[in-house]
Amino acid sequence: MIRLGVLASGGGTNLQAILDACAGRGPASRIDAAVAVVLSNVPGAGALGRAERAGVPAELLPSKGVEREAYDVALVERLRHHGVDLVCLAGYMRLVSAGFLEAFGPVPSSHGCPRVMNIHPGLLPSFPGLHAQRQALQYGVRLAGCTVHFVDAGCDTGPIIAQAAVPVHPGDGEESLSARILAEEHRLYPQAIQWFAQGRLSLAGRIVTLRGARDPETAALRSPPHER
Ligand code: GRF
């Protein structure tokens, strides 16, 4: 059982998927993890309410006007206070600093993997940054999707753990495509966390390996059959 620290700035549907998977509820199967604390930089963020309703410690650390390094020192202190093993960014709208990544860098049990994950609503390296779904539509892609990756010092540039692809349908708008991707996010993120909790992920260079995967497809976590 690993202890998760979830950082969120928004509504927290990915947090909810993680909370549900920890409890063995919802579409993702149970994971060997517990959310130890939810931290947000945005007053009134929906994620804080979701944490409180789940009986999980929820803490607001306003970031407005606070210098990045100093802010991250406070974040690290709270995460360590709650004994967090893995930090999950879930709709967190800030870059984390080098000091933060150092505090949650690899440890012997993480097989070279950093201990900070993020989920991005795009098939990286395509469409990093904000509005990935809108970027994909404007580019005219036929496949969009989401990526769970370890966080490095860049913006959405860390080593990729898993991806899921969804088709872009004729007439799709940002809302309909985002909803289709979000459903995959809610399945993919808990899965990636579980692989970390099981100690099955290792990192060499920028390549993540999933030990015991039946075949490369398993690691790629193809779209569900009905979406192929
Ligand atoms: C999600 O698409 C996530 O990939 C992105 O922010 C969106 C909202 O996430 N980072 P949530 O509903 O707040 O979890």
Side-chain angles (χ1 to χ4, degrees), residues 114-200:
R115 292 175 292 141
V116 189
M117 279 189 193
N118 181 45
I119 188 153
H120 179 72
L123 292 175
L124 294 172
S126 299
F127 316 130
L130 297 175
H131 310 301
Q133 306 94 330
R134 183 189 307 168
Q135 293 182 61
L137 285 170
Q138 289 172 349
Y139 196 92
V141 299
R142 293 290 177 264
L143 287 176
C146 53
T147 302
V148 181
H149 63 93
F150 287 118
V151 174
D152 65 8
C155 174
D156 299 325
T157 53
I160 291 173
I161 302 166
Q163 295 186 301
V166 300
V168 177
H169 293 157
D172 257 334
E174 194 173 343
E175 194 175 329
S176 58
L177 180 59
S178 297
R180 193 172 310 123
I181 294 170
L182 204 53
E184 286 306 307
E185 293 178 44
H186 297 164
R187 180 183 62 83
L188 199 67
Y189 213 169
Q191 175 68 79
I193 294 168
Q194 176 67 348
W195 286 343
F196 183 92
Q198 293 171 322
R200 292 178 60 192

Side-chain angles (χ1 to χ4, degrees), residues 8-214:
S9 304
T13 66
N14 274 288
L15 164 67
Q16 191 63 56
I18 294 167
L19 287 166
D20 291 347
C22 291
R25 285 193 309 266
S29 48
R30 179 188 291 276
I31 61 176
D32 303 320
V35 179
V37 63
V38 173
L39 300 170
S40 181
N41 62 313
V42 174
L48 291 173
R50 291 179 188 273
E52 285 158 5
R53 287 191 293 278
V56 168
E59 299 182 9
L60 169 65
L61 279 73
S63 58
K64 206 172 177 61
V66 182
E67 189 270 328
R68 181 188 307 284
E69 286 290 347
Y71 184 77
D72 282 6
V73 166
L75 272 185
V76 168
E77 191 283 323
R78 297 316 297 155
L79 291 162
R80 284 180 167 156
H81 172 80
H82 288 279
V84 165
D85 301 303
L86 175 67
V87 181
C88 299
L89 311 185
Y92 183 63
M93 303 314 279
R94 287 174 62 86
L95 287 177
V96 293
S97 62
F100 186 97
L101 293 173
E102 196 176 317
F104 284 93
V107 291
S109 62
S110 72
H111 309 293
C113 297
R115 292 175 292 141
V116 189
M117 279 189 193
N118 181 45
I119 188 153
H120 179 72
L123 292 175
L124 294 172
S126 299
F127 316 130
L130 297 175
H131 310 301
Q133 306 94 330
R134 183 189 307 168
Q135 293 182 61
L137 285 170
Q138 289 172 349
Y139 196 92
V141 299
R142 293 290 177 264
L143 287 176
C146 53
T147 302
V148 181
H149 63 93
F150 287 118
V151 174
D152 65 8
C155 174
D156 299 325
T157 53
I160 291 173
I161 302 166
Q163 295 186 301
V166 300
V168 177
H169 293 157
D172 257 334
E174 194 173 343
E175 194 175 329
S176 58
L177 180 59
S178 297
R180 193 172 310 123
I181 294 170
L182 204 53
E184 286 306 307
E185 293 178 44
H186 297 164
R187 180 183 62 83
L188 199 67
Y189 213 169
Q191 175 68 79
I193 294 168
Q194 176 67 348
W195 286 343
F196 183 92
Q198 293 171 322
R200 292 178 60 192
L201 296 175
S202 59
L203 177 66
R206 65 161 300 123
I207 305 303
V208 178
T209 301
L210 170 64
R211 278 193 301 286
R214 286 191 303 280

